[in-house]
Amino acid sequence: MYSIDNKAYPCATSLTMRYIGGKWKAVILIHLIEKKRYSELRKECKVITERTLSLQLKEMEEDGLITRTVHTAKPPLKVDYELTDFGRTLIPLLQSIAEWGTQTAQSNQRIKVLR
């Protein structure tokens, strides 16, 4: 049993899913393996609404997975996101998830690859 912020997690898997669970967190995190400006991330994650992307980024920042850097030197305002050292520990897991998805898509005739 694990506990974070007075919330209990019955196993290590549920603890992991606390950080990367949901529809978009793993997708966003894999895009942030390389540091990105918000605008770049937005372009790469077109299917995610701007509101959802902002909320997910805020949650992951609060969880210590990513950092947000605001550059105010000159307009327009620029915001960078990148994985923290803690967030980087997820890279092998995220890559394994992506690899599994690719293999599954290639071997399952019901799955159509859309471009």
Side-chain angles (χ1 to χ4, degrees), residues 5-58:
D5 299 328
N6 296 319
K7 185 169 181 192
Y9 298 89
C11 65
T13 301
S14 64
L15 178 65
T16 303
M17 295 310 293
R18 175 217 190 274
Y19 288 101
I20 65 164
K23 190 171 180 179
W24 300 116
K25 283 185 180 176
V27 173
I28 296 166
L29 287 167
I30 202 148
H31 283 287
L32 288 176
I33 287 176
E34 298 293 326
K35 181 176 166 176
K36 297 264 185 330
R37 288 221 163 110
Y38 179 82
S39 59
E40 293 172 313
L41 191 56
R42 185 80 185 100
K43 285 177 189 170
E44 291 179 9
C45 300
K46 294 178 205 173
V47 295
I48 306 173
T49 66
E50 196 163 342
R51 181 177 188 275
T52 299
L53 179 59
S54 294
L55 288 171
Q56 296 292 283
L57 288 167
K58 185 174 182 173

Side-chain angles (χ1 to χ4, degrees), residues 35-40 68-81:
K35 181 176 166 176
K36 297 264 185 330
R37 288 221 163 110
Y38 179 82
S39 59
E40 293 172 313
R68 178 180 186 264
T69 306
V70 179
H71 303 279
T72 59
K74 59 181 180 176
L77 182 75
K78 293 180 182 173
V79 180
D80 291 333
Y81 289 92

Side-chain angles (χ1 to χ4, degrees), residues 81-96:
Y81 289 92
E82 64 184 316
L83 296 177
T84 61
D85 288 341
F86 177 53
R88 290 199 167 287
T89 65
L90 289 169
I91 292 173
L93 174 64
L94 296 168
Q95 290 172 328
S96 291

